Amino acid sequence: MQANKERKFTQAMEKWIMYFMYALFGGLFLLISIQGDWRESLVLFPVAVISLSLTKWGMKWQNERYLRSAENQDEIEYLKKKVDNLEKRISNLEEE
């Protein structure tokens, strides 16, 4: 329940952040091409590749942590309901 909400949110955030990063580096390459001096692209290209790959990896790693936390919360909620039901059954048995 919580994990599904978290999964949808993190996937949407990852998608929009990567769109922003692609637009940012695409805009920089566009500005370099308009300027006509391609030497800057020799520096910008490795920076773009490293930045995009590290951003993608970092977001996936962080999102996995969020999902594990949400799954743990779901499991704790399930166990809490189970314990509450057991306490009710025990109190009913004690009354008899």
Side-chain angles (χ1 to χ4, degrees):
M1 188 159 121
Q2 182 72 19
N4 290 334
K5 287 187 219 176
E6 192 69 33
R7 184 175 291 110
K8 288 178 186 177
F9 177 76
T10 56
Q11 287 174 348
M13 287 302 295
E14 182 178 343
K15 180 173 65 172
W16 286 107
I17 290 171
M18 290 310 294
Y19 284 156
F20 173 75
M21 294 288 288
Y22 292 136
L24 177 71
F25 284 110
L28 289 173
F29 281 117
L30 179 67
L31 289 174
I32 288 172
S33 67
I34 289 172
Q35 188 181 26
D37 192 9
W38 291 95
R39 287 181 300 185
E40 287 88 1
S41 65
L42 294 176
V43 173
L44 185 60
F45 184 73
V47 170
V49 169
I50 291 170
S51 296
L52 290 171
S53 59
L54 282 177
T55 302
K56 185 89 170 158
W57 173 80
M59 282 191 304
K60 284 199 177 292
W61 178 75
Q62 187 67 31
N63 291 346
E64 288 173 4
R65 290 183 60 214
Y66 287 145
L67 290 176
R68 282 194 306 269
S69 175
E71 288 169 356
N72 288 342
Q73 288 176 357
D74 288 345
E75 290 173 4
I76 288 170
E77 190 66 32
Y78 171 76
L79 289 175
K80 183 180 178 299
K81 288 178 184 177
K82 193 89 162 167
V83 167
D84 289 343
N85 288 337
L86 288 174
E87 285 177 349
K88 287 179 187 175
R89 288 177 61 191
I90 289 171
S91 65
N92 288 340
L93 288 173
E94 286 175 348
E95 289 175 3
E96 292 176 3

